[in-house]
Amino acid sequence: DLMGLHQAIKKWEKLAKSEGLSDSDRNFYLKKVEEAKSSYERERNNWEIRAKRYGEDNHGQRSE
């Protein structure tokens, strides 16, 4: 779900910017950000491919 991935990205970015983190904790959060961004891009691309295949607009609506 794109919204869930978007929220995960924001969460991990916020945690990575927290004060007083160790380098290992910050690196862990930054790794999670990159993983979530990668997943988001993959899901978005899959959605766009499917939307084109089924003639959907940006809101997932089909014009018939």
Side-chain angles (χ1 to χ4, degrees):
D1 169 70
L2 290 174
M3 181 56 87
L5 287 169
H6 178 73
Q7 291 171 343
I9 291 167
K10 294 298 178 193
K11 176 184 81 171
W12 294 118
E13 285 176 335
K14 184 177 179 180
L15 288 169
K17 293 177 183 176
S18 298
E19 298 275 333
L21 286 179
S22 68
D23 287 341
S24 64
D25 287 343
R26 189 172 318 282
N27 288 336
F28 174 80
Y29 294 140
L30 291 173
K31 181 180 175 193
K32 290 293 189 179
V33 168
E34 291 308 313
E35 289 172 358
K37 283 182 178 181
S38 176
S39 295
Y40 181 89
E41 284 300 313
R42 185 174 50 252
E43 288 299 315
R44 195 186 72 156
N45 289 337
N46 287 340
W47 184 88
E48 287 178 1
I49 290 168
R50 190 201 78 217
K52 287 178 185 174
R53 185 179 328 139
Y54 294 110
E56 296 174 349
D57 65 14
N58 290 340
H59 303 289
Q61 301 297 316
R62 291 173 47 181
S63 58
E64 296 185 38

